[in-house]
Amino acid sequence: MTNNILLIEDDTTMNELIVDYLKDFGLNCIAFVNPIDALEELKRNTNYDIVVLDLMLPDLNGFDVFRKIKSIIDIPIIISSARGDIGNKIHGYELGADDFLAKPYEPRELVLRINYILKKSTQETFTIGDFEINTKSREVLVDNYPIDFTKVEFEIFMFLVNNSNRIASREDIIENTSLEPNTKNRTVDMHISNIRYKIGDDSKEPKYIKSVWGVGYKLIS
């Protein structure tokens, strides 16, 4: 099966180079210069396995594009940018980036990182702490006991899992789940409370989800 890669990069020469190079390794890459066109493509066609995203783009900030992608589809994203300073890397990982590849880089390195992430993402079941998670069936077990999450609860839980031991603000949770953009903070708190109840966590002495006062939440793993 051929994997489909969506590339968002405003350098047309680099676009052509990457598309041709990935093709040699059996990867089908569709490239876009304009991020708005790429977002429209994702709305029409979600049959992509990974996104390679530049940060310095026309019309939209790369991090804003990242958030918009995640609001359309939960897909692995590699940030590829000349803005490889620690601040941008930290922000990218805080948003949930799967990797950050600083320019300039050899195309072979991009292939290796894509293959690693694709291999990891095809593993339907994985374990983190006391939790066994099946991403395909959206099933979560804690100590072999199935948890009956709603769709939004599962999305929030998975966002915390994918950012374990990092602080996730309420705004991050809203932007990276199917919650409406104007969702109130107290609604997020309510969902977290429901998740805690279902996994047997105590907000006063948390084993799994820790509140970070004035900021948000962190999954302890």
Side-chain angles (χ1 to χ4, degrees), residues 74-94:
D74 184 14
I75 188 172
I77 299 178
I78 295 176
I79 293 177
S80 160
S81 178
R83 289 160 54 183
D85 59 277
I86 189 64
N88 280 298
K89 286 185 177 181
I90 289 173
H91 189 43
Y93 285 123
E94 285 177 341

